[in-house]
Amino acid sequence: MVAVLVGLYLISTIAHLYYLLKKYFLASAVGIGSLICGFLLHTAMLGVSFSSPSTRGWGVWLSAFAWVIIFLYLGVFFRHRDMSLGGFAVPFGFVLEGYASAIPGVWGAGSIEVQGYLLVGHALLALLSGASFFFLFGFSLMFVAQSRQLKSKRPSAWLHRLPSLDVLDDLNHKILYFGFTFLTASLLIGSMWAKSTHGTYWSLDKIRTLPLVLVWGAYGVLLVCRLTRSWKGNRSAVFSMISFVAVVVAFAVHLMMREVMS
Amino acid sequence: MPIILAGVSHHTTPLEVRERFYFPENDMSEWLDQMSQFPSVSERVILSTCNRVELYGCAESYEQGVDAIYDFLMESRGLRHDELAEHLYVQRDEAATRHLFRVASSLDSMVLGEPQILGQVKEAYRIAQEAGHAGKTLTALFSRAFRVAKKVRDQTALGKKAVSISSVAAELAGRIFGTLEDKSVLLLGAGEMAELAARHVVGHGAKTLLVANRTYSKAEALAADLGGSAVDFDDLAGQLARADIIISSTGAPHSIVDPTMVVAALEVRRDAPMFLIDIAVPRDIDPAVGDLENAYLYDIDDLQSVVSSNMKGREEEALQALSIIETEVESYVRRNQMEALSQTFSAIRIEAEAQRAGEVSKTLSRLPDLGEKEHQAIEAMTRAIVNKLLHRPFDVLKKMAEEEMGDDSLSIVQRLFGVEPDDDDLGSGKEGGK
C-alpha cells in the first residue's frame, strides 16, 4: 500500500510539473485525479495508524505532515481552481511522504510515541502551523516571481501560469493568520503538557528554544505589520520568505537534537 | 459521398472582390433555399463573414457538385464564370475537412486564435440545420469541427494571450488585480487609444471610472459617454490615490505624474498596488515611477512589445494546434472510410444472399425428391461457398482501408459487386431539390 501511495504522489508530482510548464489539460486531470486517490489512501492509512498508540511512530507524524500539505493544497485548488501552487506543494508532499515511508517500521511501531491528548494536540497544531508557513513561503515566492514578471515589462509565459498578485497577497494574509494562530496554540498546549509531565512550563533546552522564539517572533512581527502598518505586496512576501528560513532552522535543530538525545 | 468546399477568404481575395460574394446573414435561409434549386448538391451550409465566404456541400459527383455551386454563385451573386475560376478555391473530402477544422479552430483567421469565428461557424450551421439543409454528412462534419475547435482551445494557449494594446492593458491589469470588478480606473486626457483601453478595462467589470482633462467640459463629455464621472485635473495628486488603474494619454509636453505623487498615493492606499498605463508620446508618467514598489508602469513601447511577444506565442501555439487538427482529420477520414466500407459489405452480403437464395430455390424446385435434411445441407453448403468467396475480398479491402483507400477504389468495388449506393443507402440527409 505504501508503494501505491508513493507511486500516486509521484504520478501527481510529474503531472503537476508538466502542467506548470506546458499547461496541458490532460496533465491537470491526471495530476488532480492521482492526488485525490493518493490523498484518500493516505487518509485511510493514517486513520489506521493513529487508531493505535503503538503505531504512532515518528515516521507517521512526518507522513501526517505530508498529508496536511496535500490537504491544504487541495483546499486552495478547489477554492481558486489554480494548479500553480501544486507545482511545488505536491513535489514537497511526495518527497516528505517518500522519506517518511523509507523510515524502517514507519507504518508499524515507531521509536517515538506521541501519547496523551495534550501532546497529540500540540503535535497536530505544530504540523498545521508548519504546513501553513510552508504555503506562506510558496505563495510569497510566487508573488515575488509574478511581481518581477510584471516589473520586467517583458513578461514570459509564467505571467499566465502564476496567479494574480491580488490573489497571492490575499492568500498570504489568510495563511499567515492561520499559521501564526496554530503555532501559538501549539506552543501553549506544549507548555501545558510539559507542566503536567515535567513539572515546568518549558522543558526545551536553549538550542531548541531560540529558533522557536525566532519563528514565533518573525511571524508575529509580520502579522502585526500587516494589520497595523498595512504591509502588503512585495515587502510582506520577502519578509515571509526570510521568516521561513527560521522555520527550516528550527525544524533542522529539532531533528539534530532528537538524534543526539536518542 | 464527396464533401465539397468552395470559397473565398482574406488569404486569397481582396476585399473589393470578397464583398461581392457576401451573403447577408439575415436572408441566409433564403439563400440556402435558392442553392437547393441546384439538386446536384444534396446538403449545404453557407459561412459568410467579413473575412470569408465559404459554401460547404455534398454531392453524388464531385464535378457535378462544383458545377452546381458555380451556377448558384453566378445566379445569386451575379458573378461571371471567369471571376469564379480566378478567385474561388475548391476542395473536397479530406482537404475540405481539414480546412473547416482549421477555420473553426481559428487557425485560418486574420488574427490567429480570435474567438468570434467559432461562433460564426456554429451560427452558419445552425441556420442550415434548422432550415433542413444540413443532413447526416454535414452534421457529422460540423459537429466534429466544433469538437476539434474545443480541443484546440483546451489543449493549446492559441487564443489566451491578448494581441491588441487595449486588451494587453486589460490582461496585465488582470494579472495584478485578479478580478477588475471592484477596481477604479482614472483616465487622464482624451487620447483615442487611452479611451479604447479604458473601455476595455471597464468592459472587464471595473467598478468606477474617473475622467480628468485640462478642459473640464471634455472630461464631462467623455465621462458621460463611458459611464464614469469627471474629476478635477488640478487635483491630480489627490485623484491618483483613488485609482487602482491609471490610463494616461494627454498632450502634455512633459511628465505630469512624478514619483513623489505616486509615493504619496501609495501611502494613502496603504500600499495597495497601482497599475499605470502611459500611452502618451511624449510620456505623461515619469519612468522612475516604475521603480517604486507596488507600482507597475507600462508605456506604449512596453505594451507593444507584449503584443508582439503574444503574437509570436500564438504562432508557436498554432503549430501544436495544427498537429491536433492533422490527427483529427486522419481519424475522421478513416472513420468515414470504415463506415462506407461497412455499408458496402452489408450491401454485398445482401446481394450475395439474394443471389444464393434464388439459385438454391431454382435448383431445389427441380429436385422434388430431396428431403428436409438434404435441403438443409444444400442451404448450408451454398452459404459456406458464398462466405468463403467473400471472405478474402473483404479481408483485403479492410486492410486497404486501414492503409489508404480513396473513394474511387470503393466505388470500383461497389460497381464490381453491383451495389452502387443511392441516397437512401448512404443516407446523406435531404434530397437535392426543394
Side-chain angles (χ1 to χ4, degrees):
Chain A
M1 291 302 263
V2 178
V4 174
L5 172 63
V6 176
L8 284 167
Y9 282 168
L10 175 62
I11 292 168
S12 185
T13 295
I14 294 167
H16 271 82
L17 292 174
Y18 190 74
Y19 181 80
L20 202 60
L21 294 174
K22 297 281 179 188
K23 282 266 176 190
Y24 186 49
F25 93 109
L26 191 62
S28 70
V30 171
I32 292 296
S34 55
L35 191 66
I36 290 172
C37 292
F39 180 75
L40 293 175
L41 180 62
H42 201 169
T43 309
M45 288 167 75
L46 284 175
V48 170
S49 289
F50 276 105
S51 63
S52 162
S54 65
T55 53
R56 284 186 220 143
W58 155 244
V60 173
W61 283 96
L62 205 58
S63 177
F65 186 53
W67 183 90
V68 172
I69 297 278
I70 302 297
F71 173 75
L72 286 180
Y73 164 61
L74 284 173
V76 171
F77 172 78
F78 285 113
R79 172 77 177 80
H80 293 280
R81 295 279 162 188
D82 196 311
M83 283 182 70
S84 44
L85 179 66
F88 78 96
V90 178
F92 185 71
F94 159 68
V95 170
L96 216 57
E97 182 52 40
Y99 177 69
S101 299
I103 295 171
V106 56
W107 295 106
S111 55
I112 297 177
E113 290 176 11
V114 182
Q115 290 175 330
Y117 290 114
L118 282 177
L119 198 53
V120 168
H122 163 73
L124 277 175
L125 287 164
L127 281 184
L128 284 169
S129 69
S132 301
F133 294 142
F134 171 76
F135 275 85
L136 180 58
F137 172 77
F139 292 139
S140 300
L141 193 67
M142 286 199 279
F143 186 98
V144 172
Q146 183 70 300
S147 178
R148 283 173 67 95
Q149 283 286 323
L150 286 158
K151 284 276 184 191
S152 74
K153 299 180 183 178
R154 303 286 185 276
S156 68
W158 284 96
L159 181 79
H160 300 276
R161 290 176 189 149
L162 297 171
S164 70
L165 294 181
D166 218 36
V167 166
L168 287 169
D169 196 54
D170 183 51
L171 284 169
N172 266 356
H173 183 74
K174 285 174 182 155
I175 206 90
L176 169 65
Y177 185 79
F178 283 115
F180 186 74
T181 308
F182 290 142
L183 178 64
T184 308
S186 167
L187 291 176
L188 286 173
I189 293 174
S191 296
M192 287 158 67
W193 171 80
K195 175 73 176 166
S196 67
T197 313
H198 304 297
T200 168
Y201 282 108
W202 198 265
S203 58
L204 286 182
D205 53 80
K206 282 180 188 168
I207 299 174
R208 280 188 283 184
T209 302
L210 187 65
L212 267 181
V213 171
L214 271 177
V215 168
W216 189 84
Y219 285 111
V221 166
L222 182 58
L223 187 63
V224 168
C225 286
R226 280 199 76 116
L227 292 173
T228 60
R229 299 182 60 187
S230 70
W231 271 21
K232 273 190 174 179
N234 222 45
R235 194 182 309 170
S236 168
V238 170
F239 198 93
S240 303
M241 287 163 68
I242 295 168
S243 304
F244 190 69
V245 175
V247 176
V248 175
V249 170
F251 189 67
V253 167
H254 265 264
L255 277 183
M256 278 191 311
M257 292 307 289
R258 192 178 66 82
E259 293 295 322
V260 169
M261 294 176 78
S262 61
Chain B
M1 185 176 285
I3 293 167
I4 302 168
L5 150 69
V8 290
S9 79
H10 60 100
H11 289 303
T12 57
T13 316
L15 179 61
E16 59 269 25
V17 178
R18 222 161 59 231
E19 63 194 4
R20 294 179 58 204
F21 281 80
Y22 185 73
F23 290 92
E25 195 186 299
N26 293 343
D27 312 322
M28 193 56 84
S29 54
E30 281 94 66
W31 295 117
L32 289 164
D33 286 346
Q34 190 178 336
M35 192 176 169
S36 68
Q37 302 304 316
F38 299 86
S40 302
V41 179
S42 61
E43 296 181 36
R44 53 207 77 78
V45 172
I46 300 176
L47 171 65
S48 182
T49 73
C50 51
N51 283 330
R52 69 185 65 249
V53 175
E54 289 177 346
L55 292 83
Y56 292 86
C58 51
E60 278 296 340
S61 150
Y62 171 70
E63 287 75 17
Q64 285 174 12
V66 173
D67 287 346
I69 290 174
Y70 263 64
D71 290 342
F72 166 64
L73 285 172
M74 285 192 288
E75 186 183 297
S76 62
R77 310 317 302 148
L79 294 155
R80 294 193 313 274
H81 193 280
D82 61 306
E83 288 177 312
L84 292 174
E86 186 186 347
H87 295 292
L88 207 63
Y89 49 78
V90 181
Q91 293 172 352
R92 64 178 292 186
D93 297 328
E94 187 173 330
T97 302
R98 180 178 293 106
H99 183 85
L100 177 62
F101 288 4
R102 286 173 55 118
V103 168
S105 306
S106 192
L107 283 171
D108 203 55
S109 298
M110 194 176 271
V111 177
L112 263 182
E114 55 91 7
Q116 286 85 7
I117 185 65
L118 180 57
Q120 289 166 330
V121 176
K122 281 184 175 172
E123 184 61 12
Y125 167 71
R126 187 192 63 77
I127 292 170
Q129 204 259 335
E130 282 180 3
H133 293 281
K136 190 177 164 188
T137 306
L138 289 189
T139 294
L141 177 69
F142 276 78
S143 302
R144 186 65 175 255
F146 302 147
R147 283 205 300 278
V148 171
K150 184 176 184 305
K151 195 171 180 181
V152 166
R153 197 182 57 205
D154 289 346
Q155 296 189 9
T156 71
L158 187 65
K160 292 196 174 72
K161 293 176 180 172
V163 287
S164 70
I165 294 284
S166 53
S167 55
V168 161
E171 182 185 85
L172 289 168
R175 301 325 294 164
I176 295 170
F177 301 110
T179 172
L180 302 184
E181 276 168 18
D182 57 344
K183 301 296 177 251
S184 302
V185 182
L186 171 63
L187 179 59
L188 301 177
E192 195 181 327
M193 207 181 282
E195 185 188 324
L196 197 64
R199 281 187 194 278
H200 221 88
V201 174
V202 170
H204 277 72
K207 184 185 68 176
T208 314
L209 176 69
L210 309 169
V211 183
N213 197 296
R214 285 199 191 281
T215 314
Y216 191 75
S217 58
K218 277 189 185 174
E220 278 186 318
L222 190 55
D225 186 29
L226 294 172
S229 51
V231 293
D232 186 4
F233 191 86
D234 295 330
D235 182 30
L236 192 54
Q239 302 301 342
L240 284 178
R242 295 175 63 190
D244 301 291
I245 301 164
I246 293 108
I247 304 171
S248 186
S249 179
T250 73
H254 50 74
S255 301
I256 56 167
V257 177
D258 60 38
T260 325
M261 292 161 77
V262 178
V263 167
L266 282 167
E267 209 170 303
V268 175
R269 293 168 55 78
R270 296 167 74 91
D271 270 351
M274 293 171 77
F275 181 34
L276 301 103
I277 303 160
D278 186 358
I279 304 178
V281 180
R283 286 175 288 182
D284 284 340
I285 304 172
D286 187 329
V289 167
D291 298 332
L292 298 173
E293 210 166 82
N294 299 323
Y296 299 90
L297 170 65
Y298 277 71
D299 63 28
I300 187 74
D301 276 5
D302 299 329
L303 293 171
Q304 191 55 55
S305 149
V306 178
V307 167
S308 307
S309 158
N310 286 357
M311 288 289 271
K312 204 174 156 209
R314 283 196 180 195
E315 281 161 19
E316 284 165 11
E317 291 296 323
L319 295 176
Q320 197 189 333
L322 281 172
S323 148
I324 293 171
I325 285 175
E326 271 316 304
T327 311
E328 289 290 329
V329 168
E330 197 180 315
S331 143
Y332 183 74
V333 169
R334 181 66 49 81
R335 202 205 68 178
N336 278 356
Q337 275 181 351
M338 295 309 283
E339 200 175 300
L341 194 64
S342 164
Q343 285 171 342
T344 303
F345 284 175
S346 299
I348 292 171
R349 278 191 196 284
I350 290 165
E351 177 63 21
E353 174 58 23
Q355 296 286 348
R356 184 201 67 80
E359 291 304 316
V360 167
S361 171
K362 266 194 254 170
T363 304
L364 290 180
S365 66
R366 289 198 292 268
L367 300 167
D369 299 336
L370 294 181
E372 186 59 29
K373 206 172 170 185
E374 285 79 10
H375 278 212
Q376 283 175 358
I378 288 170
E379 287 278 352
M381 180 192 69
T382 51
R383 277 204 186 95
I385 291 170
V386 168
N387 284 341
K388 282 199 172 176
L389 281 173
L390 291 180
H391 178 75
R392 186 166 166 73
F394 281 9
D395 207 33
V396 171
L397 282 168
K398 268 187 199 162
K399 280 180 185 150
M400 279 172 68
E402 278 164 16
E403 288 158 15
E404 196 172 341
M405 185 171 78
D407 283 346
D408 293 342
S409 311
L410 191 63
S411 174
I412 290 167
V413 172
Q414 287 164 346
R415 271 194 222 165
L416 276 175
F417 284 92
V419 291
E420 291 102 321
D422 52 35
D423 285 352
D424 292 337
D425 287 340
L426 292 181
S428 281
K430 189 168 180 158
E431 294 295 323
K434 279 189 77 177

